[in-house]
Structures are given as structure tokens and as C-alpha cells.
Amino acid sequence: MRKRYWATLALALLHGPAFAQESNVVGQGFYGGPVLGVDGFAGDDTDEGQTGVVYGGVIGYDVTIGGAVLGVETEFTDSSVGESEDGFLIPGDSLRLGIGADLYLGARAGLRVGTSGLIYLKGGYTNLDLDADYRDPSGFEINATRDFDGYRLGAGAEFALARNLIARVEYRYSNYDGGDRNDPFADLEIERHQGVAGLLFRF
């Protein structure tokens, strides 16, 4: 009788951690949360790039097939990257160029590492807004926004902190061009290198 009692207790203790690990499995269902990181921006005709902060949010959906994870996600971000120049055309005027909204839509594929980890690759379409603001000494002001289509490639890793809480680190490269050959920006190529971290909630 005593042996059966201790055997039952041992099985219960051993089963507990296994159950807890299963509750932290990554790579299944809807998720979303904020992302924050470093944004490196450069045009093909610039000697030096600009660095700032990228921030926003991501939502997505994953399915698990064996040890693989396949998913789709969309992300919306903004950036602090920008540059100002005084005396651009005449004394007393100013011009500011800045990174605006960035919309990403893509897919990812990854491999589970244990029950709490995931490594993945991603890729998809991205659309970037560039904002320009010109002011002259008389108070005259012109605001303009130009959007650029491009692609994004990236790689990252995730780790389940709790059943519905995931930490993410990711590197991604984005490339944009001017598009149509008749467009005055057709020869302009823009590159971005970003390293971001996210705290995601799985639903």
C-alpha cells in the first residue's frame, strides 16, 4: 500500500513539469503585441545612413505541423529617423525629411526548439511613407508624402515566457525602389536594417 502511494506521488510530481511545459508551447493560434527596436535607413546616393527608433505593433496567426510552424502576419510601424536642413533654398527656410508609416504583410516558417522556443525566417511585402515638410521665412508651408513599395526579409527567435506571453527578437532587411520608370523617383533605392524586440500575447 505504501509503495503504491509513493509511486502515485512520484508520477504526479513528474507529470507536473511536463504539463507546465506543454502549456508554454509556441507556434499555434493568433498573436499580437508591440515591437520596438533600432532602425537603420539609407538611400543609394547617401554616404552615411540615419539611425533611429522603430516602434509599432504586429498581429499574426500560426499553425503547427509536426515540429514546423507556418504563419502569416502584418505589422504597422513608425520611425524616429529623419533629417532637417536649414537654408535649403533661401536663408531662413527649412526642410525636414522623415520616415513615416510602414505597413508589412508577409509569411514566416520556423522550427520549434523544445516546447518553449522557436526560430524562424520571414518575408513579404512592405510599403513605406516618406514625409517632407518645407517652410519659408514668411510662414508658407508645404507638406508632402510619397509611398514606396518594397520587400522585407528577416530572421528571428521566440521564447514562451508563460502560457500566453512570448518574447521575440528579430533582424530584418527591407528594400524599396521608385517603381514605375516614368516616376521621378524610379532610380531611388532605399534600404533599411532593423533589429527589433517584441512582447507578444497569444490568444
Side-chain angles (χ1 to χ4, degrees), residues 144-175:
T145 298
R146 173 70 166 78
D147 68 294
F148 294 82
D149 296 321
Y151 66 88
R152 175 172 298 166
L153 302 174
E158 293 180 354
F159 183 82
L161 302 176
R163 180 170 184 174
N164 297 317
L165 186 63
I166 302 168
R168 168 187 289 190
V169 290
E170 180 180 290
Y171 162 79
R172 63 269 193 103
Y173 166 81
S174 302
N175 184 287

Side-chain angles (χ1 to χ4, degrees), residues 28-195:
Q28 185 68 44
F30 286 99
Y31 62 88
V35 293
L36 178 69
V38 178
D39 190 8
F41 172 88
D44 58 359
D45 59 349
T46 58
D47 295 329
E48 296 183 3
Q50 298 290 324
T51 302
V53 176
V54 59
Y55 50 90
V58 59
I59 58 174
Y61 183 81
D62 287 330
V63 293
T64 299
I65 304 175
V69 174
L70 302 176
V72 294
E73 66 178 25
T74 183
E75 181 182 288
F76 182 83
T77 58
D78 207 332
S79 175
S80 68
V81 173
E83 186 172 5
S84 298
E85 184 174 346
D86 296 326
F88 179 68
L89 294 177
I90 60 175
D93 72 354
S94 64
L95 174 68
R96 185 187 185 280
L97 297 175
I99 299 295
D102 189 314
L103 177 64
Y104 167 79
L105 178 62
R108 69 174 187 164
L111 295 175
R112 283 173 48 182
V113 180
T115 58
S116 300
L118 174 70
I119 55 175
Y120 63 89
L121 299 175
K122 66 185 294 182
Y125 164 81
T126 178
N127 180 272
L128 170 69
D129 284 347
L130 289 183
D131 301 324
D133 180 13
Y134 173 80
R135 299 181 184 184
D136 72 9
S138 69
F140 175 74
E141 182 177 353
I142 299 177
N143 298 303
T145 298
R146 173 70 166 78
D147 68 294
F148 294 82
D149 296 321
Y151 66 88
R152 175 172 298 166
L153 302 174
E158 293 180 354
F159 183 82
L161 302 176
R163 180 170 184 174
N164 297 317
L165 186 63
I166 302 168
R168 168 187 289 190
V169 290
E170 180 180 290
Y171 162 79
R172 63 269 193 103
Y173 166 81
S174 302
N175 184 287
Y176 313 83
D177 61 41
D180 193 306
R181 285 182 295 177
N182 295 322
D183 192 307
F185 293 94
D187 295 331
L188 178 63
E189 183 178 1
I190 300 169
E191 296 183 328
R192 300 175 81 181
H193 296 269
Q194 298 174 327

